[in-house]
């Protein structure tokens, strides 16, 4: 194991997560009113609904699958399904919702690049984040192709051991990914990089999950009555 692997897969995750948590807290404390997505729907709604809905549905399922799949100990899920079955399930669910997320992301990126009003009011950071997300998504989808070459679940177990070593602050995490295909390494490294830059971009809004919308009262909207004309007869 070389020093680069040790840094990328043992130390870098802690650096990225430290910046993510501390940076997010600092931004909320010092620049609360920048804590937003900067929605451009009022400028142009074309493609926004389809792109945003497809992207968010896809990304939420994909992220949820990553959390459950990587952080659930092997001894727990093997009571229900085998490692090869879990890998197949992850490939199918990740593939379907990854494609859904990709479709939404492409709509949003094309809108960001080629809609004059949206491009004029956006920032370079907005575009860079969409490109990084696109690259990360393509790496993830291509990793499914690589995974189809070894359906025994061994690589999936190794990646899960890496993640569980990281979240439990154990040394030796890098040893579990040293021998895996480069596509998995690139996917992990770019994923950590997205956490690293999140506090300085619109990605910070991942903290603001609108859970309160589930129980807030309905808004009452009334039409304005037409005003009486001056000099109208009784």
């Amino acid at each position: 194991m070389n020093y680069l692997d040790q840094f990328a897969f043992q130390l870098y995750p802690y650096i990225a997560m430290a910046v993510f948590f501390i940076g997010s807290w600092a931004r909320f404390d010092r620049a609360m009113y920048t804590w937003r997505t900067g929605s451009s729907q009022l400028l142009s709604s074309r493609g926004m609904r389809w792109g945003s809905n497809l992207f968010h549905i896809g990304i939420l399922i994909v992220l949820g699958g990553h959390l459950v799949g990587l952080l659930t100990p092997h001894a727990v899920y093997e009571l229900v399904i085998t490692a090869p079955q879990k890998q197949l399930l992850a490939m199918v669910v990740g593939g379907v919702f990854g494609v859904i997320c990709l479709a939404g992301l492409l709509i949003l990126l094309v809108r960001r690049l080629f809609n004059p009003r949206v491009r004029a009011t956006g920032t370079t950071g907005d575009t860079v984040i969409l490109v990084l997300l696109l690259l990360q998504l393509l790496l993830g989808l291509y990793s499914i192709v690589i995974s189809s070459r070894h359906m025994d679940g061994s690589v999936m177990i190794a990646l899960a051991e890496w993640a569980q070593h990281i979240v439990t602050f154990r040394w030796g995490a890098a040893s579990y990914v040293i021998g895996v295909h480069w596509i998995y390494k690139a996917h992990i490294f770019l994923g950590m990089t997205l956490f690293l830059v999140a506090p300085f971009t619109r990605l910070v809004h991942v903290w603001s999950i609108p859970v309160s919308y589930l129980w807030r009262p309905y808004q009452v909207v009334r039409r304005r009555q037409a005003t009486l004309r001056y000099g109208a007869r009784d």
Side-chain angles (χ1 to χ4, degrees), residues 75-120:
V76 174
Y77 68 77
E78 72 175 353
L79 298 175
V80 181
I81 57 175
T82 63
Q85 289 172 338
K86 181 190 174 186
Q87 177 175 328
L88 179 60
L89 178 63
M91 291 170 61
V92 172
V93 175
V96 170
F97 285 96
V99 170
I100 291 174
C101 183
L102 177 62
L105 183 56
L106 288 175
I107 293 173
L108 294 177
L109 184 58
V110 169
R111 180 175 176 273
R112 174 69 56 183
L113 293 175
F114 299 107
N115 187 307
R117 299 184 69 185
V118 176
R119 186 175 65 251

Side-chain angles (χ1 to χ4, degrees), residues 47-210:
M48 181 66 178
R49 178 175 297 180
W50 276 103
S52 181
N53 287 339
L54 289 174
F55 170 74
H56 283 94
I57 290 172
I59 199 70
L60 287 174
I61 299 299
V62 168
L63 287 177
H66 277 66
L67 288 175
V68 174
L70 291 174
L71 300 183
T72 302
H74 177 66
V76 174
Y77 68 77
E78 72 175 353
L79 298 175
V80 181
I81 57 175
T82 63
Q85 289 172 338
K86 181 190 174 186
Q87 177 175 328
L88 179 60
L89 178 63
M91 291 170 61
V92 172
V93 175
V96 170
F97 285 96
V99 170
I100 291 174
C101 183
L102 177 62
L105 183 56
L106 288 175
I107 293 173
L108 294 177
L109 184 58
V110 169
R111 180 175 176 273
R112 174 69 56 183
L113 293 175
F114 299 107
N115 187 307
R117 299 184 69 185
V118 176
R119 186 175 65 251
T121 57
T123 66
T124 303
D126 296 337
T127 305
V128 170
I129 283 299
L130 288 178
V131 172
L132 289 177
L133 287 171
L134 176 62
L135 180 58
Q136 177 71 343
L137 189 56
L138 291 175
L139 287 172
L141 289 173
Y142 186 60
S143 72
I144 297 177
V145 178
I146 302 301
S147 296
S148 65
R149 301 175 184 174
H150 42 77
M151 297 297 296
D152 59 352
S154 58
V155 173
M156 179 196 64
I157 293 176
L159 295 174
E161 286 291 339
W162 169 83
Q164 291 165 32
H165 272 65
I166 290 296
V167 299
T168 54
F169 301 98
R170 286 181 286 170
W171 192 257
S175 62
Y176 288 98
V177 296
I178 189 66
V180 301
H181 195 280
W182 69 266
I183 198 72
Y184 301 109
K185 295 181 179 180
H187 192 53
I188 292 172
F189 188 83
L190 184 53
M192 293 297 102
T193 302
L194 286 170
F195 279 106
L196 182 75
V197 302
F200 315 104
T201 67
R202 65 171 56 199
L203 285 181
V204 74
H205 81 278
V206 299
W207 289 105
S208 304
I209 303 175

Side-chain angles (χ1 to χ4, degrees), residues 27 37 64 173-174 208:
R27 180 170 175 177
T37 62
S208 304

